[in-house]
Amino acid sequence: MNNEQIKQKLAAVWEEIKTNCRYEFEFTEFSDNLFIKPLTLLDVADGRILIAYDGKNDVGKDVLERKVGTPLGAIIPLYLDEEDADVTLEFFSPKEAEEYRQRGRAEAQPAQSKAALTPMQTNLNPKYTFDNFVVGNNNSMARAAALAVAEAPGEFYNPLYIYGGVGLGKTHLMHAIAHYALEHHAMRQAKKPENERVPFNVMYVTGEVFTNELIEALRGGKSDTATAEFRAKYRNVDMLLIDDIQFIIGKERTQEEFFHTFNSLYGNNRQLIISSDKPPKDFSMIEERLLSRFEMGLTVDIQAPDYETRMAILRNKADDVQLHLDDDIFDYIATNIRSNIRELEGALNKINVYARLKHLDITPELAKEALKDLVSPNSGGVAITPELIIKIVTDYYAVTMDDLFSSKKSRDITIPRQVTMYLLRQYTDMTLDEIGDYMRRDHSTVISGIRKIEKMIGADPSTANTIDALGKRISPD
């Protein structure tokens, strides 16, 4: 494959690579947030994988090479063909990455003479199409609504609001809508004379990105030009897809800006697709006028997949990566991992990576060994006890019970400790005083810890995802 093909292949699985890197090399949540999550694929050039660090912390390139060079160097080749697997990694600081991107934009500029006819499509994953979206009882209505929107943007179900738990396929469905709309618009335009053709512009972003870009436009008393550019970017599109809209809830200025963006697009018959972890009426800090906008179109939900759907998803994923497994291995995964599609696919990837790193054939025994930290110890109906919760938390965060009960105050210990307090309160009948005695903390510390996690769940989708994943391990049913 050439450089561009390798780049596209890696870009499609980049988040998957980072997830496997974290679990295979046992990064704590703190280290994952600091070193792994801020990494983006910058480019591929002459056998080099160029990786940008876009985090806010000042992490030097030498530190990155020590911390993540070896893990990424082991994981990335597993996603490439054998002839392309001999690659080296090169890390770029935020400043260097931006300079590299600017050079790329400058070099590409002369080729933009037909920019007005070039459709804009931002951050679309080429793997997320209707063709590979597995339909089951849990998502059939959402899929039907999505297809109707894709076939006639701006005419039906505007906005389309999709909600459901983490990893159930909301993002996949949103990208599928965009791909379908772009493809069929191009087919219609191809029948017209060239001077009559118009582009179809699609913008996909998360609620967090929308918020951060608005903050950047407003930061430091910048001129009105920055704000005008921000508005032009989001209001001059034919289809706007906002994932995880819950991120903007409670942020007054962001809600205000999104309200006017919504009105501008809706008034011009432009399509809006919104996703969230809950229906609009369940938000407690949303403005009434924004709530009414969300409920103007169609609201559909996606539930957790049933056994048959889980099996179909696993088989599709295995076919995609040319992985041949016995039926009893598929059955083991589908039976024990029931919460969401992301965990199902993650389990399959983990088995594949584990076998390749160990140079072993995939057997039922190997699958069980690879998934021992993902399969809930409570899947057989074990009573939920403080000891069970401690084990699940310590395994997940790669800390010890002594760490949780110690006086250590580093973030990579205090967060797991507070999560433990929260989960003890949620899944046992222990009082706050009993939790304090168990955790060797006073009553006020327990209250403070639980409230902090509750606040983080409402403000940070990654924390909400973590708590949801831990909850599934404690009580899969």
Side-chain angles (χ1 to χ4, degrees), residues 247-258:
F247 192 86
I248 78 169
I249 305 304
K251 299 175 176 66
E252 295 180 4
R253 184 61 189 270
T254 307
Q255 286 190 168
E256 173 82 15
E257 193 63 40
F258 183 74

Side-chain angles (χ1 to χ4, degrees), residues 141-178:
M141 182 176 177
R143 196 264 186 189
L147 185 58
V149 166
E151 290 176 337
E155 296 183 24
F156 305 107
Y157 310 142
N158 197 15
L160 176 63
Y161 187 106
I162 307 170
Y163 74 92
V166 175
L168 295 181
K170 301 186 300 293
T171 300
H172 187 145
L173 211 48
M174 296 176 79
H175 286 230
I177 294 170

Side-chain angles (χ1 to χ4, degrees), residues 81 100 184 383 385-386:
D81 297 333
Y100 186 93
H184 284 258
T385 64

Side-chain angles (χ1 to χ4, degrees), residues 286-305:
I286 187 173
E287 295 179 5
E288 187 64 33
R289 60 178 183 170
L290 194 54
L291 175 62
S292 69
R293 297 299 189 278
F294 288 164
E295 295 179 332
M296 285 169 59
L298 178 66
T299 299
V300 292
D301 71 326
I302 300 180
Q303 301 291 332

Side-chain angles (χ1 to χ4, degrees), residues 133 145 154:
F133 184 82

Side-chain angles (χ1 to χ4, degrees), residues 110-261:
Q112 301 298 314
S113 58
K114 293 188 178 181
L117 297 178
T118 303
M120 175 180 67
Q121 44 180 309
T122 301
N123 302 329
L124 295 181
N125 188 326
K127 298 197 312 181
Y128 290 166
T129 66
F130 283 119
D131 290 340
N132 56 25
F133 184 82
V134 178
V135 182
N137 293 331
N138 62 308
N139 59 23
S140 57
M141 182 176 177
R143 196 264 186 189
L147 185 58
V149 166
E151 290 176 337
E155 296 183 24
F156 305 107
Y157 310 142
N158 197 15
L160 176 63
Y161 187 106
I162 307 170
Y163 74 92
V166 175
L168 295 181
K170 301 186 300 293
T171 300
H172 187 145
L173 211 48
M174 296 176 79
H175 286 230
I177 294 170
H179 284 306
Y180 188 101
L182 284 165
E183 179 183 349
H184 284 258
H185 177 82
M187 291 169 59
R188 290 190 295 269
Q189 294 298 306
K191 299 176 181 179
K192 298 181 179 180
E194 188 170 351
N195 62 345
E196 295 180 11
R197 297 174 189 174
V198 295
F200 186 83
N201 295 324
V202 170
M203 172 72 70
Y204 167 87
V205 292
T206 63
E208 181 178 10
V209 168
F210 183 89
T211 301
N212 290 340
E213 289 189 4
L214 175 61
I215 291 171
E216 184 63 24
L218 299 172
R219 187 170 63 88
K222 290 187 175 182
S223 67
D224 291 340
T225 303
T227 306
E229 290 175 351
F230 170 87
R231 290 171 178 165
K233 174 180 178 178
Y234 285 100
R235 299 181 190 183
N236 293 322
V237 296
D238 299 287
M239 178 180 288
L240 177 63
L241 306 100
I242 303 281
D243 212 348
D244 293 326
I245 196 68
Q246 68 269 14
F247 192 86
I248 78 169
I249 305 304
K251 299 175 176 66
E252 295 180 4
R253 184 61 189 270
T254 307
Q255 286 190 168
E256 173 82 15
E257 193 63 40
F258 183 74
F259 174 78
H260 293 297
T261 297

